[in-house]
Amino acid sequence: NAGVTQTPKFRVLKTGQSMTLLCAQDMNHEYMYWYRQDPGMGLRLIHYSVGEGTTAKGEVPDGYNVSRLKKQNFLLGLESAAPSQTSVYFCASAPGGTGNEQFFGPGTRLTVL
Amino acid sequence: EDKVVQSPLSLVVHEGDTVTLNCSYEVTNFRSLLWYKQEKKAPTFLFMLTSSGIEKKSGRLSSILDKKELFSILNITATQTGDSAVYLCAVKFGTSYGKLTFGQGTILTVHP
């Protein structure tokens, strides 16, 4: 099993450009999450999904959109990138329920110039 | 406001030392506290704690939760250079669907 994978690993954007980050998991998990990690701030939740076709806002959702058309995939979109979105983005997944840990992908390092 | 605070933010020790990392929280309807280790890339799961006073142990690492005083500690004995990493504490609370709120992390550096 590959676990949780993220594409791409690195990306540089110019202000105003758009892009989509892809997260895929092969563990048949119900829940999926997108976080961003900035120095000194730990991980902050952007959006999450509790099942195919459902999404919800997390702690810092502004400037991002998500979609979960298939259970195994969770996409994070930036419609008009801003320098404040320079960060490392992590995707995670977990089985349904609240008694399970989350499994994280390797991260995507995004720089917005 | 719900929050998770870790201390210290960074720590430098020598191999063989014992370290204690702290995590305190203020949340409503606490469910569980998790510890993760992050080396360069993805955080990897260490422990999940739901009950007070019950120590979880894995090799040289151990952790315990105090739900009355709202904190947890992560102990690492006989540290090795491979223990150098960021240690993240996260809390599940409320009616969230397994959502985690993370602390800032503790950067541990172990010198030979």
Side-chain angles (χ1 to χ4, degrees):
Chain A
N1 287 347
V4 181
T5 58
Q6 293 182 230
T7 308
K9 291 184 170 55
F10 304 94
R11 185 73 186 268
V12 178
L13 291 178
K14 294 181 179 179
T15 297
Q17 288 184 319
S18 63
M19 78 162 295
T20 300
L21 281 67
L22 171 63
C23 175
Q25 52 94 4
D26 61 3
M27 297 174 281
N28 200 35
H29 286 169
E30 289 295 325
Y31 299 163
M32 295 187 75
Y33 313 84
W34 275 108
Y35 294 90
R36 60 178 289 173
Q37 186 174 34
D38 302 295
M41 300 188 74
L43 278 78
R44 292 181 292 168
L45 183 65
I46 305 171
H47 286 280
Y48 65 101
S49 168
V50 300
E52 182 178 316
T54 71
T55 63
K57 294 180 180 180
E59 183 185 352
V60 288
D62 294 343
Y64 306 95
N65 56 75
V66 289
S67 64
R68 182 124 182 249
L69 299 179
K70 293 183 179 181
K71 186 177 183 179
Q72 64 267 34
N73 295 336
F74 195 28
L75 278 63
L76 177 71
L78 286 73
E79 289 187 349
S80 180
S84 61
Q85 294 177 303
T86 294
S87 187
V88 180
Y89 292 86
F90 287 99
C91 175
S93 71
T98 58
N100 302 291
E101 72 269 24
Q102 294 179 15
F103 296 82
F104 285 82
T108 295
R109 183 173 294 277
L110 175 66
T111 302
V112 183
L113 302 176
Chain B
E1 181 185 344
D2 301 309
K3 61 181 180 181
V4 179
V5 178
Q6 292 185 243
S7 63
L9 294 182
S10 65
L11 189 57
V12 180
V13 300
H14 287 93
E15 273 192 322
D17 289 348
T18 293
V19 299
T20 298
L21 310 183
N22 302 288
C23 176
S24 63
Y25 59 91
E26 292 181 28
V27 301
T28 52
N29 195 14
F30 171 89
R31 293 185 179 272
S32 59
L33 185 145
L34 292 82
W35 285 97
Y36 284 85
K37 177 182 182 182
Q38 186 177 25
E39 299 172 271
K40 301 292 187 184
K41 292 190 175 180
T44 54
F45 174 75
L46 295 175
F47 301 112
M48 178 185 288
L49 304 156
T50 56
S51 301
S52 278
I54 299 175
E55 184 182 56
K56 292 277 182 95
K57 195 171 174 65
S58 177
R60 296 176 293 101
L61 278 67
S62 64
S63 184
I64 198 162
L65 175 68
D66 186 328
K67 291 170 74 173
K68 181 179 179 182
E69 300 298 329
L70 307 183
F71 76 92
S72 172
I73 60 172
L74 175 67
N75 279 321
I76 308 175
T77 59
T79 52
Q80 302 171 357
T81 54
D83 294 326
S84 296
V86 177
Y87 290 85
L88 298 166
C89 170
V91 173
K92 285 186 189 178
F93 62 95
T95 58
S96 56
Y97 291 95
K99 293 186 297 179
L100 297 176
T101 293
F102 283 83
Q104 319 95 300
T106 293
I107 302 172
L108 174 64
T109 303
V110 182
H111 287 148

